[in-house]
Every structure is written in structure tokens, then in C-alpha cells.
Amino acid sequence: MGVTEKLMRYISIKTPCNEKADSVPTSTCQFNLAEILVEELKELGMDQVVLDERCFVYGILRASEGYEDCKKLGFIAHMDTVSEFCEEEIVPVMTKQYNGEDLTLQKCGRILSVKDFPHLKELKGRTLITSDGSTILGVDDKAGIAEIMQMLQTMIEEKIPHGQISVAFTPDEECGTGAAYFDFDTFDADVAYTLDGDGEGEIQYQNFNACEAKFTIEGKSVHPGSAKHVMINAVLLACEMNQMLPRYETPRYTEGYEGFYHLLSIHGDEGHAEAEYIVRDHNEPEFLVRKNTLRHIEKTMNEVWGDGTVKLEIKDEYRNMESVIKDHFYLVENAKQACMKAGVTPVICPIRGGTDGCKLSFKGLPCPNLGTGGHGYHGPMEHITVEGMEKVVDIILELVKIFANS
């Protein structure tokens, strides 16, 4: 069974997380995939294969004789998917010799367009894998799982010399809660890579600084016929505050290292309203400026409308792991070298979000992120190519060899 067949098997098992749940895992369906991965790891002859009560899967491939002193290298991918577009059965569609042009997905009439995804032109001639357009495909992050499993299979079958290799498949990455329960002792690695990025050759060690922000607005509701100079419409104040933010510093108008304010929701009525945001920036001083902008809005609104009208809560989520990786930059250099040995141009790019690797890095496990070959995550436009996945397998095999010989 090759990497494509592995992917097909894994995506057939729906594993949406549940952001409203307090437990880990947030959805029991993740165990369905975890149990299959445990079976496959044992069939490969992996040591210390573990499935714990929180749905973390761990396995260790012992070092080849004479390579016991190499750094212990880990690879991590997550089993859960987003919960959106998961209602129906996932039906993968393979388009051989893809022509690099707009592709109409088989169901719902959705179009995978070159306008929205310019890189499609570069995939011409490959075998493209999509869903039928009614669901996600699930390559975020089951492509990463398939590639790690294929790497292990190839190493064992071809008897490639290696240091200790640790693997982990984690729950609830999409919810942002799983990494808190990662068992570092069971994983037993010195350094690691997550496979949770986009195109093959991507190497990411910079992510957003991130926080959640919530404005709570207390209005004054009276009959509109006698509201002059009395009514304070909380929903209108929420809209007014949003207009105080920079208009073009939103996800739609930003890219690369540019940060943003993202309005998630405004809900309520005249008497009470809430406005929820996420705030992101790679640069820590600029991130602090963004948070101070929100605090200034809170202060100004209370000066205009009265103390206690607006209350702001800010909750930090994660930090930029660059501050950790810079002290272990050989991880990036080794990944670049592995890409070149596999015939892939390395692409250093920032993560416009966060990964488990970010949180793990700050807990003592330096963990850059690598691309899986997938694109269009978190919706029915998800896609990947067979050739892209095969290249990623080549890259991580070369990475293992580099660590074994360094």
C-alpha cells in the first residue's frame, strides 16, 4: 500500500473535532482512526506503540545498530479535521493528467479555479485529488499522516540506516487544545517536525502571535418612540467600534508577515451585545500595538458613553516559535538540504496561523513545520497531488538520512 492508498484509507474515516466540547479528544470518532494507525504501526514492527486515553498515538522505531548516538528525531501529524463540510460521506475524486485549468467538482457545481488558486497551473500533468465538492477532503492533516507512515514503511523495507525515529499522531489540533496533553516522555525525541503545511518544499518556523479579544457592550434599551438622548443601542456601538479598526488590516487584505484583526461575530440587541475577534501578528511589538489599539477603543467608548459601557477581555493563545527555533536553526538548514536532495526547491514562508509545533516548541521540543503537498484547507476546495505526496515522502526520508549522518 503506497502513500496514495494510505491517504484514501485515512480520509474515509471522518474525524471532525468539536470546538464546543471541553474534553480531549473533543470527538470520539478520532479514536476510529487512531486504532487503525496503532494496528499499522505494530504491523511495521514499531516499538512502544501506545494509544492513550486522550487519543494520542505514539510509536518508536529503534535506531539502527551503530546509530544509537544520533539525535532522536520525531515526526508529528494530527488526526482531526475541521468540523465544517463534514456532514456527508467523503468521496475522493482523482483527476489524472490534470490540465492545470479550472476544475468543476462533481457535486454542488463548485469550481476549483485558477483565479482563487494560482498554483494550480504548476500542477499540470499531475494526478490531482479532490473531494466531490460536497465535503472537505481531509488532507489537513491526513496527508501528513500518510506521508509519515509511508516514510516508515520505506525505511524498514529498504533497511535505511537511521537514528531513533519517534512518531506521534495527535487529536484536536484544529481546536487548539490537543497539544496541552502531549506526552514528551512517551514520544522520546530530541527534536521534531510537524507535517501540517501546504505545498511540498515548504519549511515554516515562524507563526503568528495570537490572541482572542471579546468586547461586551451594555446598552440602554427603551421604547424607540421615546428614545431620544436615552437609548444606547449596544449592537450599534459594536458596529461603531469595528469601524475604529484599520479597514484593510483584515484577513482578506493581508498576506505573508502582515497581521490582522478578524471579526468573528457580533451578536446581541439594544440592551446587550458582544463582539468577538481574533488578532494576529508575527512581529511581537506590533502585536502588542494591536492589543493596545483594542484597549484604546475600550477606553474611548467608556469616556463617550459612560464607565462600564464597554468591557474588553483579551486572552493570549500562542506565540511565534521563531524565538525558540533560532537557537536550533540547523533544523531549518537540514530541512532545506533534504528538499534539495529530493529535487524540490525549499520555500521558507511564515505560518499564517499556528500549529501544534508552536506549542511544543515552547515546551522544550523544537518543532518546525513542513508542507504536505496539500492546498485549500478547511473547505470543499481542499486538494493535493499524488506526485506532491511522493515528493514529501522523499524529503522526510532524506531528512532522516541527514540526521543519521550528522
Side-chain angles (χ1 to χ4, degrees):
M1 185 166 62
V3 66
T4 304
E5 290 75 21
K6 288 180 172 65
L7 175 67
M8 294 299 182
R9 184 183 193 190
Y10 304 152
I11 64 176
S12 69
I13 305 165
K14 294 198 292 185
T15 54
C17 65
N18 179 1
E19 295 184 359
K20 296 180 180 179
D22 295 328
S23 60
V24 174
T26 59
S27 55
T28 57
C29 61
Q30 295 178 65
F31 276 107
N32 297 334
L33 177 56
E35 290 166 357
I36 286 175
L37 295 173
V38 165
E39 291 177 9
E40 292 185 357
L41 289 171
K42 288 180 177 178
E43 288 172 0
L44 287 172
M46 299 281 286
D47 295 303
Q48 298 180 22
V49 178
V50 173
L51 170 59
D52 70 15
E53 71 280 2
R54 296 192 183 275
C55 201
F56 285 78
V57 176
Y58 303 96
I60 291 176
L61 183 62
R62 294 296 182 194
S64 304
E65 185 176 353
Y67 290 82
E68 294 87 354
D69 293 333
C70 295
K71 276 190 179 296
K72 298 174 183 177
L73 176 61
F75 294 95
I76 302 167
H78 65 88
M79 296 179 286
D80 64 309
T81 69
V82 293
S83 56
E84 295 82 6
F85 295 99
C86 286
E87 292 79 11
E88 300 183 35
E89 179 184 358
I90 295 173
V91 180
V93 178
M94 299 185 70
T95 303
K96 296 183 178 181
Q97 289 295 313
Y98 169 60
N99 62 11
E101 300 175 1
D102 289 359
L103 179 69
T104 301
L105 304 181
Q106 290 182 358
K107 201 169 182 180
C108 304
R110 290 189 170 98
I111 297 176
L112 184 65
S113 72
V114 175
K115 178 182 177 183
D116 292 335
F117 301 99
H119 69 269
L120 287 169
K121 295 178 181 179
E122 301 169 12
L123 305 183
K124 183 178 181 179
R126 294 187 178 190
T127 298
L128 184 70
I129 308 174
T130 65
S131 74
D132 64 2
S134 62
T135 67
I136 60 170
L137 181 58
V139 292
D140 179 16
D141 186 27
K142 291 168 184 174
I145 297 173
E147 289 155 359
I148 292 170
M149 294 297 286
Q150 185 64 40
M151 175 268 293
L152 292 171
Q153 179 181 327
T154 302
M155 287 176 57
I156 292 167
E157 290 178 349
E158 298 183 7
K159 297 180 171 58
I160 297 172
H162 56 84
Q164 178 176 306
I165 303 298
S166 300
V167 299
F169 304 122
T170 64
D172 294 329
E173 190 273 348
E174 299 295 357
C175 297
T177 56
Y181 298 95
F182 192 89
D183 189 332
F184 294 90
D185 291 334
T186 300
F187 188 55
D188 190 26
D190 298 316
V191 296
Y193 294 87
T194 50
L195 270 79
D196 193 18
D198 292 348
E200 64 268 23
E202 278 192 358
I203 305 167
Q204 300 172 313
Y205 64 94
Q206 303 155 304
N207 60 276
F208 279 137
N209 296 290
C211 72
E212 299 174 345
K214 178 180 177 180
F215 286 106
T216 302
I217 307 105
E218 299 299 337
K220 187 178 295 184
S221 180
V222 297
H223 191 286
S226 55
K228 187 170 183 179
H229 300 315
V230 178
M231 178 183 283
I232 300 175
N233 189 323
V235 177
L236 285 179
L237 293 194
C239 295
E240 181 181 340
M241 291 191 304
N242 189 64
Q243 294 301 311
M244 294 178 179
L245 294 171
R247 179 178 178 182
Y248 294 107
E249 294 183 16
T250 64
R252 177 177 174 83
Y253 298 107
T254 52
E255 61 184 354
Y257 291 93
E258 297 168 343
F260 58 74
Y261 305 90
H262 178 42
L263 176 62
L264 297 174
S265 68
I266 293 178
H267 51 89
D269 52 30
E270 302 101 315
H272 178 88
E274 295 177 356
E276 297 175 317
Y277 292 82
I278 58 172
V279 182
R280 304 288 189 261
D281 209 299
H282 286 90
N283 182 281
E284 187 165 355
E286 292 182 10
F287 180 58
L288 295 176
V289 169
R290 292 186 184 279
K291 291 198 284 188
N292 285 334
T293 296
L294 297 176
R295 294 187 180 104
H296 179 68
I297 291 173
E298 176 193 29
K299 176 176 178 289
T300 301
M301 294 299 286
N302 283 326
E303 288 173 348
V304 173
W305 296 100
D307 289 343
T309 301
V310 174
K311 179 182 177 182
L312 170 65
E313 297 176 75
I314 294 177
K315 179 182 177 182
D316 286 320
E317 296 179 280
Y318 50 83
R319 295 160 54 202
N320 189 345
M321 67 178 166
E322 182 178 12
S323 60
V324 175
I325 302 301
K326 68 180 182 181
D327 295 327
H328 306 272
F329 206 71
Y330 68 90
L331 294 171
V332 177
E333 295 298 336
N334 284 0
K336 289 168 63 177
Q337 184 181 349
C339 288
M340 291 184 285
K341 284 180 175 289
V344 177
T345 302
V347 179
I348 305 293
C349 57
I351 305 171
R352 290 185 60 78
T355 69
D356 279 348
C358 163
K359 295 180 180 179
L360 300 178
S361 292
F362 280 102
K363 291 187 175 184
L365 181 69
C367 198
N369 189 44
L370 304 178
T372 65
H375 301 273
Y377 294 162
H378 292 195
M381 300 301 174
E382 274 191 326
H383 55 281
I384 199 165
T385 66
V386 171
E387 295 81 359
M389 286 191 294
E390 291 172 344
K391 279 295 184 184
V392 173
V393 174
D394 291 342
I395 290 168
I396 56 178
L397 281 169
E398 293 295 342
L399 198 50
V400 168
K401 295 174 186 177
I402 290 168
F403 273 85
N405 293 290
S406 61

